[in-house]
Amino acid sequence: MHEIVTISIGECGINIGAQFWRDLCIQSDLSASGHSLDPIFSPPFHLFEEQLSSRFVPRTILLDSQPSALDNIRSTDLGFLFPPNAFISGNDGTGSAFGVGCYDLDLIQEPLQNQIRVQAEKCNQTPNFNIFHSLGGGTGSGTTSFVLMHLSDEYQTSVFNCSVLPEPDACVVSPYNCILGFNYLIQCSNAVQCIDNGNLMGQIKGVREINQYISSQLIDMFKTEKQWIPKYDKNAEYDQRHFYHSEAMWKGENVTSCPFSDTGAKVIHEIEFGSTTLYNSAEVARSIQQQLDRFDLMYKRRAYVYGHSRCMDECEYVEASERVHELLEIYENNGKNTLTTD
């Protein structure tokens, strides 16, 4: 059995993670502090660590560049569920700058790496990692990229990202953050479930309701031990790394179809992940293309680059654009092929 360590990064990732653990406790007959309400029933051990007095603690890390989102979690009843060392934060935000989130980590780098090691050593074997985050902000994109590089270098295991794509009217520099983050998702993540925030906001009203919806989908995927986890291969070509969506996640409703997804896009590849079907289709490519178009237009004019490129070299913009363009070419070519399934 591979245990799973979940890392929630940035305000969006932390709020999704908090809702995930709250809902999972309810389904597992645990109190908000992790104590078992039914001694006969055991929660999923691949997600929880059992401690004394029938208390179960999530295998998780909550990480942000500033303390406010973590303080909000601490102030709720759910704050007692997580051990104190699960909370890691800096003192200042990233200013929505990818480079600050990725490279300016003096306060959080060492405690983060130590806590990842501690969580891994508690597992029977090297765990798989789940990362919840948004691609629109400097922490969700930049710090997630740092974490992906660290996991790729130090742990021979699989990494699954639940990545929220920003809506069109998000922060003005969100296309930069999104595509720079995709550069590292392509290189370091074994599979990515893309969530188009703009699509969901059109179907579901309220941030809390969206988090609840995403949480219910994630629990369906991860509450059982038998999951499809892509085999770790650090040297795999990035066209072998897949970007998925579920119909429910994408459109805010429960629909499935094959070989064409309900969005009308031809399915290149599909997998059964827990009780959820994930599709790798051109619909994902369309959303990535929208972000890339905005990125290229802004960078051609060097719009906001001076303030955004702190702590990083401008060549990273060019590299990220080229790599995502290559990914989209792969989608275009594979879209002509026959549907394959695992």
Side-chain angles (χ1 to χ4, degrees):
M1 177 187 72
H2 269 285
E3 293 93 340
I4 296 175
V5 174
T6 297
I7 307 176
S8 297
I9 304 176
E11 183 176 1
C12 176
I14 288 169
N15 289 333
I16 291 173
Q19 189 66 54
F20 172 82
W21 291 110
R22 183 181 293 280
D23 294 344
L24 191 58
C25 282
I26 293 172
Q27 292 195 19
S28 303
D29 281 336
L30 297 178
S31 70
S33 59
H35 289 92
S36 177
L37 302 175
D38 184 351
I40 300 177
F41 183 76
S42 296
F45 285 103
H46 62 294
L47 295 171
F48 287 92
E49 173 197 355
E50 184 175 11
Q51 297 186 338
L52 299 176
S53 303
S54 296
R55 182 169 186 260
F56 295 87
V57 175
R59 302 181 188 275
T60 192
I61 299 169
L62 298 95
L63 172 68
D64 203 357
S65 56
Q66 56 186 348
S68 56
L70 298 175
D71 289 342
N72 290 338
I73 302 300
R74 289 190 184 98
S75 66
T76 68
D77 57 342
L78 200 65
F80 296 101
L81 178 65
F82 308 109
N85 56 5
F87 297 90
I88 300 175
S89 73
N91 293 329
D92 300 309
T94 61
S96 297
F98 174 92
V100 176
C102 189
Y103 302 115
D104 190 13
L105 300 170
D106 292 344
L107 289 180
I108 64 176
Q109 180 173 343
E110 185 174 349
L112 169 62
Q113 292 173 332
N114 287 341
Q115 189 58 22
I116 291 175
R117 176 182 53 79
V118 167
Q119 288 289 346
E121 289 176 352
K122 290 180 180 179
C123 299
N124 293 323
Q125 55 184 313
T126 303
N128 292 322
F129 291 90
N130 293 343
I131 300 178
F132 302 160
H133 69 113
S134 168
L135 285 163
T139 304
S141 61
T143 307
T144 296
S145 297
F146 171 82
V147 172
L148 286 170
M149 287 188 290
H150 176 68
L151 295 178
S152 177
D153 290 339
E154 299 295 330
Y155 299 92
Q156 301 298 300
T157 188
S158 293
V159 179
F160 183 95
N161 282 70
C162 174
S163 304
V164 178
L165 279 66
E167 62 273 19
D169 58 350
C171 172
V172 66
V173 294
S174 63
Y176 284 157
N177 294 329
C178 187
I179 297 303
L180 289 166
F182 257 109
N183 187 19
Y184 288 88
L185 289 173
I186 291 168
Q187 297 179 77
C188 301
S189 182
N190 298 88
V192 180
Q193 181 173 16
C194 297
I195 301 174
D196 192 311
N197 204 36
N199 279 347
L200 281 187
M201 291 180 69
Q203 300 292 330
I204 304 172
K205 302 304 180 183
V207 174
R208 181 178 179 183
E209 288 72 18
I210 289 177
N211 289 339
Q212 290 173 334
Y213 191 81
I214 294 174
S215 167
S216 68
Q217 296 292 311
L218 292 171
I219 288 175
D220 285 343
M221 293 168 59
F222 292 109
K223 67 183 178 182
T224 60
E225 295 178 21
K226 294 183 179 180
Q227 306 150 356
W228 176 87
I229 298 287
K231 183 179 179 182
Y232 179 85
D233 184 359
K234 183 177 179 179
N235 297 316
E237 294 294 331
Y238 61 78
D239 60 343
Q240 299 174 31
R241 305 180 189 276
H242 301 293
F243 293 81
Y244 294 97
H245 67 93
S246 71
E247 296 305 301
M249 285 287 205
W250 203 254
K251 296 191 68 181
E253 54 190 68
N254 292 311
V255 289
T256 57
S257 61
C258 180
F260 290 86
S261 73
D262 192 68
T263 58
K266 183 176 180 180
V267 174
I268 298 168
H269 186 262
E270 75 173 58
I271 56 173
E272 296 297 326
F273 202 119
S275 58
T276 298
T277 301
L278 295 182
Y279 298 102
N280 186 12
S281 80
E283 187 65 27
V284 174
R286 278 200 285 267
S287 287
I288 298 173
Q289 183 71 65
Q290 290 172 359
Q291 297 290 337
L292 181 60
D293 289 344
R294 288 193 285 268
F295 175 99
D296 287 342
L297 179 61
M298 290 173 60
Y299 188 69
K300 182 178 180 180
R301 299 173 177 175
R302 297 299 190 272
Y304 303 103
V305 167
Y306 177 76
H308 183 267
S309 59
R310 289 177 291 164
C311 307
M312 60 182 290
D313 195 302
E314 275 196 44
C315 68
E316 288 198 45
Y317 292 86
V318 178
E319 176 188 289
S321 177
E322 290 177 349
R323 185 165 277 125
V324 177
H325 273 289
E326 290 172 6
L327 174 69
L328 292 174
E329 289 178 6
I330 291 168
Y331 266 100
E332 183 177 357
N333 293 332
N334 285 347
K336 303 172 184 177
N337 298 333
T338 306
L339 169 73
T340 61
T341 61
D342 277 357

Coordinates of all heavy atoms in Angstrom, one line a residue, residues 157-230:
T157 N 8.8 8.7 -6.6 CA 7.4 8.4 -6.4 C 6.6 9.2 -7.4 O 7.1 9.8 -8.3 CB 7.0 8.7 -4.9 OG1 5.7 8.2 -4.7 CG2 7.1 10.2 -4.7
S158 N 5.3 9.0 -7.3 CA 4.3 9.7 -8.2 C 3.7 10.9 -7.5 O 3.4 10.9 -6.4 CB 3.2 8.7 -8.6 OG 3.8 7.7 -9.4
V159 N 3.5 11.9 -8.4 CA 2.9 13.2 -7.9 C 1.7 13.5 -8.7 O 1.7 13.4 -10.0 CB 3.9 14.3 -8.0 CG1 3.3 15.6 -7.6 CG2 5.2 14.1 -7.2
F160 N 0.6 13.7 -8.0 CA -0.7 14.0 -8.7 C -1.1 15.5 -8.3 O -1.1 15.8 -7.1 CB -1.8 13.1 -8.2 CG -3.1 13.3 -8.9 CD1 -3.5 12.6 -10.0 CD2 -4.0 14.2 -8.4 CE1 -4.7 12.8 -10.6 CE2 -5.2 14.4 -9.0 CZ -5.6 13.7 -10.1
N161 N -1.3 16.3 -9.2 CA -1.7 17.7 -9.0 C -3.2 17.9 -9.2 O -3.7 17.5 -10.3 CB -0.9 18.7 -9.8 CG 0.5 18.9 -9.3 OD1 1.3 18.0 -9.4 ND2 0.8 20.1 -8.8
C162 N -3.9 18.6 -8.3 CA -5.2 19.1 -8.6 C -5.0 20.6 -8.7 O -4.7 21.3 -7.8 CB -6.1 18.8 -7.4 SG -7.7 19.6 -7.5
S163 N -5.0 21.1 -10.0 CA -4.6 22.4 -10.3 C -5.8 23.2 -10.8 O -6.5 22.9 -11.8 CB -3.5 22.4 -11.4 OG -2.4 21.6 -11.0
V164 N -6.0 24.4 -10.2 CA -7.1 25.3 -10.6 C -6.6 26.3 -11.5 O -5.7 27.1 -11.2 CB -7.8 25.9 -9.3 CG1 -8.9 26.9 -9.7 CG2 -8.3 24.9 -8.3
L165 N -7.2 26.3 -12.7 CA -6.8 27.3 -13.7 C -7.6 28.6 -13.4 O -8.8 28.6 -13.2 CB -7.1 26.9 -15.1 CG -6.1 25.9 -15.8 CD1 -6.1 24.6 -15.1 CD2 -6.5 25.7 -17.3
P166 N -6.9 29.8 -13.5 CA -7.6 31.0 -13.2 C -8.7 31.4 -14.2 O -8.5 31.1 -15.4 CB -6.5 32.0 -13.1 CG -5.4 31.5 -14.0 CD -5.5 30.0 -13.9
E167 N -9.7 32.1 -13.7 CA -10.7 32.6 -14.6 C -10.1 33.8 -15.4 O -9.1 34.4 -15.0 CB -12.0 33.0 -13.8 CG -11.8 34.1 -12.8 CD -11.3 33.6 -11.5 OE1 -10.8 32.5 -11.4 OE2 -11.4 34.4 -10.5
P168 N -10.8 34.2 -16.5 CA -10.2 35.3 -17.3 C -10.0 36.6 -16.6 O -9.1 37.4 -17.0 CB -11.2 35.4 -18.5 CG -11.9 34.1 -18.5 CD -11.9 33.6 -17.1
D169 N -10.9 37.0 -15.7 CA -10.7 38.3 -15.0 C -10.0 38.2 -13.7 O -10.2 39.0 -12.8 CB -12.1 38.9 -14.8 CG -13.1 38.0 -14.0 OD1 -12.7 36.8 -13.7 OD2 -14.1 38.5 -13.6
A170 N -9.2 37.2 -13.6 CA -8.3 37.1 -12.3 C -7.3 38.1 -12.3 O -7.3 39.1 -13.1 CB -7.7 35.7 -12.2
C171 N -6.3 38.0 -11.5 CA -5.2 38.9 -11.4 C -4.6 39.2 -12.8 O -4.5 38.3 -13.6 CB -4.1 38.4 -10.4 SG -2.6 39.3 -10.4
V172 N -4.2 40.4 -13.0 CA -3.7 40.8 -14.4 C -2.5 40.0 -14.8 O -2.3 39.7 -16.0 CB -3.4 42.3 -14.4 CG1 -2.2 42.6 -13.5 CG2 -3.1 42.8 -15.8
V173 N -1.7 39.5 -13.8 CA -0.5 38.7 -14.2 C -0.7 37.2 -14.1 O 0.2 36.4 -14.2 CB 0.7 39.1 -13.4 CG1 1.2 40.5 -13.7 CG2 0.5 38.9 -11.9
S174 N -2.0 36.8 -13.9 CA -2.2 35.4 -13.7 C -1.8 34.6 -15.0 O -1.4 33.4 -14.8 CB -3.7 35.1 -13.4 OG -4.6 35.6 -14.4
P175 N -1.9 35.1 -16.2 CA -1.4 34.3 -17.3 C 0.1 34.0 -17.2 O 0.5 32.9 -17.6 CB -1.7 35.1 -18.6 CG -2.9 36.0 -18.1 CD -2.6 36.3 -16.7
Y176 N 0.9 34.9 -16.7 CA 2.3 34.6 -16.5 C 2.4 33.5 -15.5 O 3.2 32.5 -15.7 CB 3.0 35.9 -16.0 CG 3.3 37.0 -17.0 CD1 3.5 38.3 -16.6 CD2 3.4 36.7 -18.3 CE1 3.7 39.3 -17.5 CE2 3.7 37.7 -19.3 CZ 3.8 39.0 -18.8 OH 4.1 39.9 -19.8
N177 N 1.8 33.6 -14.3 CA 1.9 32.6 -13.3 C 1.4 31.3 -13.8 O 2.1 30.2 -13.5 CB 1.1 33.0 -12.1 CG 1.6 34.3 -11.4 OD1 2.8 34.6 -11.4 ND2 0.7 35.1 -10.8
C178 N 0.3 31.3 -14.5 CA -0.3 30.0 -15.0 C 0.7 29.2 -15.9 O 1.0 28.1 -15.7 CB -1.6 30.3 -15.7 SG -2.5 28.8 -16.1
I179 N 1.2 29.9 -16.9 CA 2.1 29.3 -17.9 C 3.4 28.9 -17.3 O 4.0 27.8 -17.6 CB 2.2 30.1 -19.2 CG1 0.8 30.3 -19.9 CG2 3.2 29.5 -20.2 CD1 0.1 29.0 -20.2
L180 N 4.0 29.8 -16.5 CA 5.2 29.4 -15.8 C 5.0 28.2 -14.9 O 5.9 27.4 -14.8 CB 5.7 30.6 -15.0 CG 6.2 31.8 -15.8 CD1 6.3 33.1 -14.9 CD2 7.6 31.5 -16.4
G181 N 3.9 28.1 -14.3 CA 3.6 26.9 -13.4 C 3.4 25.7 -14.3 O 3.8 24.6 -13.9
F182 N 2.8 25.8 -15.5 CA 2.6 24.7 -16.3 C 3.9 24.1 -16.8 O 4.1 22.9 -17.0 CB 1.7 25.1 -17.6 CG 0.3 24.6 -17.5 CD1 -0.7 25.5 -17.3 CD2 0.0 23.3 -17.6 CE1 -2.0 25.1 -17.2 CE2 -1.3 22.9 -17.6 CZ -2.3 23.8 -17.4
N183 N 4.9 25.0 -16.9 CA 6.2 24.5 -17.3 C 6.7 23.5 -16.4 O 7.3 22.4 -16.8 CB 7.2 25.7 -17.3 CG 8.6 25.4 -17.9 OD1 8.7 24.4 -18.6 ND2 9.5 26.2 -17.6
Y184 N 6.5 23.6 -15.1 CA 7.0 22.7 -14.1 C 6.0 21.5 -13.9 O 6.4 20.4 -13.6 CB 7.2 23.4 -12.7 CG 8.4 24.3 -12.7 CD1 8.3 25.6 -13.2 CD2 9.7 23.8 -12.4 CE1 9.4 26.4 -13.2 CE2 10.8 24.6 -12.4 CZ 10.7 25.9 -12.8 OH 11.8 26.7 -12.9
L185 N 4.7 21.7 -14.1 CA 3.8 20.6 -14.2 C 4.2 19.6 -15.3 O 4.1 18.4 -15.1 CB 2.4 21.1 -14.4 CG 1.7 21.9 -13.2 CD1 0.4 22.4 -13.6 CD2 1.5 21.0 -12.0
I186 N 4.5 20.1 -16.4 CA 4.9 19.3 -17.5 C 6.1 18.5 -17.2 O 6.2 17.3 -17.5 CB 5.1 20.2 -18.8 CG1 3.8 20.7 -19.3 CG2 5.8 19.3 -19.9 CD1 4.0 21.8 -20.4
Q187 N 7.1 19.1 -16.5 CA 8.4 18.4 -16.2 C 8.3 17.5 -15.1 O 9.0 16.5 -15.1 CB 9.4 19.5 -16.0 CG 9.8 20.4 -17.1 CD 10.8 21.4 -16.8 OE1 12.0 21.1 -16.7 NE2 10.4 22.6 -16.5
C188 N 7.5 17.8 -14.0 CA 7.7 17.1 -12.7 C 6.5 16.4 -12.2 O 6.6 15.6 -11.3 CB 8.1 18.2 -11.7 SG 9.6 19.1 -12.0
S189 N 5.3 16.6 -12.8 CA 4.1 16.0 -12.3 C 3.7 14.8 -13.1 O 3.8 14.9 -14.4 CB 2.9 17.0 -12.2 OG 1.8 16.3 -11.7
N190 N 3.3 13.7 -12.5 CA 2.9 12.5 -13.3 C 1.5 12.6 -13.9 O 1.3 12.0 -14.9 CB 3.0 11.3 -12.4 CG 4.4 11.1 -11.9 OD1 4.8 11.6 -10.9 ND2 5.2 10.3 -12.7
A191 N 0.6 13.3 -13.2 CA -0.7 13.5 -13.7 C -1.3 14.8 -13.1 O -1.0 15.1 -11.9 CB -1.6 12.3 -13.5
V192 N -2.1 15.5 -13.9 CA -2.7 16.8 -13.4 C -4.1 16.8 -13.7 O -4.5 16.5 -14.9 CB -2.0 18.0 -14.1 CG1 -2.6 19.3 -13.6 CG2 -0.5 18.0 -13.9
Q193 N -5.0 17.0 -12.7 CA -6.4 17.2 -12.9 C -6.6 18.7 -13.0 O -6.4 19.4 -12.0 CB -7.2 16.6 -11.8 CG -8.7 16.8 -12.1 CD -9.6 16.1 -11.2 OE1 -9.2 15.6 -10.1 NE2 -10.9 16.0 -11.6
C194 N -7.0 19.2 -14.2 CA -7.2 20.6 -14.4 C -8.6 21.0 -14.0 O -9.6 20.3 -14.4 CB -6.9 20.9 -15.8 SG -5.2 20.7 -16.4
I195 N -8.8 22.0 -13.2 CA -10.1 22.5 -12.9 C -10.2 23.9 -13.4 O -9.4 24.8 -13.0 CB -10.3 22.5 -11.4 CG1 -10.2 21.1 -10.8 CG2 -11.6 23.1 -11.0 CD1 -10.2 21.0 -9.3
D196 N -11.1 24.2 -14.3 CA -11.3 25.5 -14.9 C -12.2 26.3 -14.0 O -13.4 26.1 -14.0 CB -11.9 25.4 -16.3 CG -11.8 26.7 -17.1 OD1 -12.2 27.7 -16.5 OD2 -11.3 26.7 -18.3
N197 N -11.6 27.2 -13.3 CA -12.4 28.0 -12.3 C -13.5 28.8 -13.0 O -14.6 29.0 -12.4 CB -11.5 28.9 -11.5 CG -12.1 29.2 -10.1 OD1 -12.7 28.4 -9.5 ND2 -11.8 30.5 -9.7
G198 N -13.2 29.3 -14.2 CA -14.2 30.1 -14.9 C -15.4 29.3 -15.2 O -16.5 29.8 -15.1
N199 N -15.2 28.1 -15.7 CA -16.4 27.2 -16.0 C -17.2 26.9 -14.8 O -18.4 27.0 -14.8 CB -15.9 25.9 -16.6 CG -15.6 26.0 -18.1 OD1 -15.9 27.0 -18.7 ND2 -14.9 25.1 -18.6
L200 N -16.5 26.6 -13.7 CA -17.2 26.2 -12.4 C -18.0 27.4 -11.9 O -19.1 27.3 -11.4 CB -16.3 25.7 -11.4 CG -15.8 24.2 -11.5 CD1 -15.0 23.8 -10.3 CD2 -17.0 23.3 -11.7
M201 N -17.4 28.6 -11.9 CA -18.1 29.8 -11.4 C -19.3 30.1 -12.2 O -20.3 30.7 -11.7 CB -17.1 30.9 -11.4 CG -16.0 30.8 -10.4 SD -14.8 32.2 -10.4 CE -15.9 33.5 -9.7
G202 N -19.4 29.7 -13.4 CA -20.6 29.9 -14.2 C -21.7 28.9 -13.9 O -22.9 29.2 -14.2
Q203 N -21.4 27.8 -13.2 CA -22.4 26.8 -12.8 C -22.7 26.8 -11.4 O -23.8 26.5 -11.0 CB -21.9 25.4 -13.3 CG -21.6 25.3 -14.7 CD -22.8 25.3 -15.6 OE1 -23.9 24.9 -15.1 NE2 -22.7 25.8 -16.8
I204 N -21.7 27.1 -10.5 CA -21.9 27.0 -9.1 C -21.6 28.4 -8.5 O -20.5 29.0 -8.7 CB -20.9 26.0 -8.5 CG1 -21.2 24.6 -9.2 CG2 -21.1 25.9 -7.0 CD1 -20.2 23.6 -8.8
K205 N -22.5 28.9 -7.7 CA -22.3 30.2 -7.1 C -21.7 30.1 -5.7 O -22.2 29.4 -4.9 CB -23.7 31.0 -7.0 CG -24.4 31.1 -8.4 CD -23.5 31.8 -9.4 CE -24.2 32.0 -10.7 NZ -23.3 32.6 -11.7
G206 N -20.7 30.9 -5.4 CA -20.1 30.9 -4.1 C -18.8 30.1 -4.0 O -18.8 28.9 -4.5
V207 N -17.8 30.7 -3.5 CA -16.5 30.0 -3.4 C -16.6 28.8 -2.5 O -16.0 27.7 -2.8 CB -15.4 31.0 -2.8 CG1 -14.1 30.3 -2.5 CG2 -15.2 32.1 -3.8
R208 N -17.3 28.9 -1.4 CA -17.5 27.8 -0.5 C -18.1 26.6 -1.2 O -17.7 25.4 -1.0 CB -18.3 28.2 0.8 CG -18.5 27.0 1.8 CD -19.2 27.5 3.0 NE -19.4 26.4 3.9 CZ -20.1 26.5 5.1 NH1 -20.7 27.6 5.4 NH2 -20.2 25.4 5.8
E209 N -19.2 26.9 -2.0 CA -19.9 25.8 -2.7 C -19.0 25.2 -3.7 O -19.0 24.0 -3.9 CB -21.1 26.4 -3.3 CG -22.3 26.8 -2.4 CD -22.0 28.0 -1.6 OE1 -21.1 28.8 -2.0 OE2 -22.7 28.2 -0.6
I210 N -18.1 26.0 -4.4 CA -17.2 25.4 -5.3 C -16.2 24.5 -4.6 O -15.9 23.4 -5.1 CB -16.5 26.5 -6.1 CG1 -17.4 27.2 -7.0 CG2 -15.3 26.0 -6.9 CD1 -16.8 28.4 -7.8
N211 N -15.7 24.9 -3.4 CA -14.7 24.1 -2.7 C -15.4 22.8 -2.2 O -14.8 21.7 -2.3 CB -14.2 24.9 -1.5 CG -13.2 26.0 -1.9 OD1 -12.7 25.9 -2.9 ND2 -13.1 26.9 -1.0
Q212 N -16.7 22.9 -1.8 CA -17.4 21.7 -1.4 C -17.5 20.7 -2.6 O -17.4 19.5 -2.5 CB -18.7 22.0 -0.9 CG -18.7 22.7 0.5 CD -20.0 23.2 1.0 OE1 -20.9 23.5 0.2 NE2 -20.2 23.3 2.3
Y213 N -17.8 21.3 -3.8 CA -18.0 20.5 -5.0 C -16.7 19.8 -5.3 O -16.6 18.6 -5.7 CB -18.5 21.3 -6.1 CG -18.9 20.5 -7.3 CD1 -20.2 20.0 -7.3 CD2 -18.1 20.4 -8.4 CE1 -20.6 19.2 -8.4 CE2 -18.5 19.6 -9.5 CZ -19.7 19.1 -9.5 OH -20.1 18.3 -10.5
I214 N -15.6 20.6 -5.4 CA -14.3 20.0 -5.7 C -13.9 18.9 -4.7 O -13.4 17.8 -5.0 CB -13.2 21.1 -5.7 CG1 -13.5 22.0 -6.9 CG2 -11.8 20.5 -5.8 CD1 -12.5 23.2 -6.9
S215 N -14.2 19.2 -3.4 CA -13.8 18.2 -2.3 C -14.6 16.9 -2.5 O -14.0 15.8 -2.4 CB -14.2 18.8 -1.0 OG -14.2 17.8 0.0
S216 N -15.8 16.9 -2.9 CA -16.6 15.7 -3.1 C -16.0 14.9 -4.2 O -15.9 13.6 -4.1 CB -18.1 16.0 -3.4 OG -18.2 16.7 -4.6
Q217 N -15.5 15.5 -5.3 CA -14.9 14.8 -6.4 C -13.6 14.2 -6.0 O -13.3 13.1 -6.3 CB -14.7 15.8 -7.6 CG -16.0 16.3 -8.2 CD -16.8 15.2 -8.8 OE1 -16.3 14.5 -9.6 NE2 -18.1 15.1 -8.5
L218 N -12.8 15.0 -5.2 CA -11.5 14.5 -4.8 C -11.6 13.3 -3.8 O -10.9 12.3 -3.9 CB -10.7 15.6 -4.1 CG -10.2 16.7 -5.0 CD1 -9.6 17.8 -4.2 CD2 -9.2 16.2 -6.0
I219 N -12.6 13.3 -3.0 CA -12.8 12.2 -2.0 C -13.2 10.9 -2.8 O -12.7 9.8 -2.5 CB -13.9 12.5 -1.0 CG1 -13.3 13.6 0.0 CG2 -14.4 11.3 -0.3 CD1 -14.3 14.1 1.0
D220 N -14.0 11.1 -3.8 CA -14.4 9.9 -4.7 C -13.1 9.3 -5.3 O -13.0 8.1 -5.5 CB -15.4 10.3 -5.8 CG -16.8 10.5 -5.3 OD1 -17.1 10.1 -4.1 OD2 -17.6 11.2 -5.9
M221 N -12.1 10.2 -5.6 CA -10.9 9.7 -6.3 C -10.0 9.0 -5.3 O -9.3 8.1 -5.6 CB -10.2 10.9 -7.0 CG -11.0 11.4 -8.1 SD -10.3 13.0 -8.7 CE -8.6 12.5 -9.1
F222 N -9.9 9.5 -4.0 CA -8.8 9.2 -3.2 C -9.2 8.4 -1.9 O -8.3 7.9 -1.2 CB -8.0 10.4 -2.7 CG -7.2 11.1 -3.8 CD1 -7.6 12.3 -4.4 CD2 -6.1 10.4 -4.4 CE1 -7.0 12.9 -5.4 CE2 -5.4 11.0 -5.4 CZ -5.8 12.2 -5.9
K223 N -10.5 8.2 -1.7 CA -10.8 7.5 -0.4 C -10.5 6.0 -0.4 O -10.5 5.4 0.7 CB -12.3 7.8 -0.1 CG -13.3 7.1 -1.0 CD -14.7 7.5 -0.7 CE -15.7 6.9 -1.6 NZ -17.1 7.3 -1.3
T224 N -10.4 5.4 -1.5 CA -10.0 4.0 -1.6 C -8.5 3.9 -1.9 O -7.9 4.7 -2.6 CB -10.9 3.3 -2.6 OG1 -10.6 3.8 -3.9 CG2 -12.3 3.4 -2.3
E225 N -7.9 2.7 -1.5 CA -6.5 2.5 -1.8 C -6.3 2.2 -3.3 O -5.2 2.4 -3.8 CB -6.0 1.4 -0.9 CG -6.1 1.7 0.6 CD -5.6 0.5 1.4 OE1 -4.9 -0.4 0.9 OE2 -5.9 0.4 2.6
K226 N -7.2 1.6 -3.9 CA -7.0 1.1 -5.3 C -7.3 2.3 -6.2 O -8.4 2.7 -6.5 CB -7.9 0.0 -5.6 CG -7.6 -1.3 -4.9 CD -8.5 -2.4 -5.3 CE -8.2 -3.7 -4.5 NZ -9.1 -4.8 -4.9
Q227 N -6.2 2.9 -6.7 CA -6.3 4.1 -7.5 C -5.3 3.9 -8.7 O -4.3 3.2 -8.6 CB -5.9 5.4 -6.8 CG -6.6 5.6 -5.5 CD -5.8 6.4 -4.5 OE1 -4.6 6.7 -4.8 NE2 -6.4 6.7 -3.4
W228 N -5.6 4.6 -9.8 CA -4.6 4.6 -10.9 C -3.6 5.7 -10.5 O -4.0 6.9 -10.4 CB -5.3 5.0 -12.2 CG -4.4 5.1 -13.3 CD1 -3.9 4.1 -14.1 CD2 -3.8 6.3 -13.7 NE1 -3.0 4.7 -15.0 CE2 -2.9 6.0 -14.8 CE3 -3.9 7.7 -13.3 CZ2 -2.2 7.0 -15.5 CZ3 -3.1 8.6 -14.0 CH2 -2.3 8.3 -15.1
I229 N -2.4 5.3 -10.3 CA -1.3 6.2 -10.1 C -0.3 6.0 -11.2 O 0.2 4.9 -11.3 CB -0.7 6.0 -8.7 CG1 -1.7 6.3 -7.6 CG2 0.5 6.9 -8.5 CD1 -2.0 7.7 -7.4
P230 N 0.1 7.0 -11.9 CA 1.1 6.8 -13.0 C 2.4 6.4 -12.4 O 2.8 6.9 -11.4 CB 1.1 8.2 -13.7 CG 0.6 9.1 -12.7 CD -0.4 8.4 -11.8

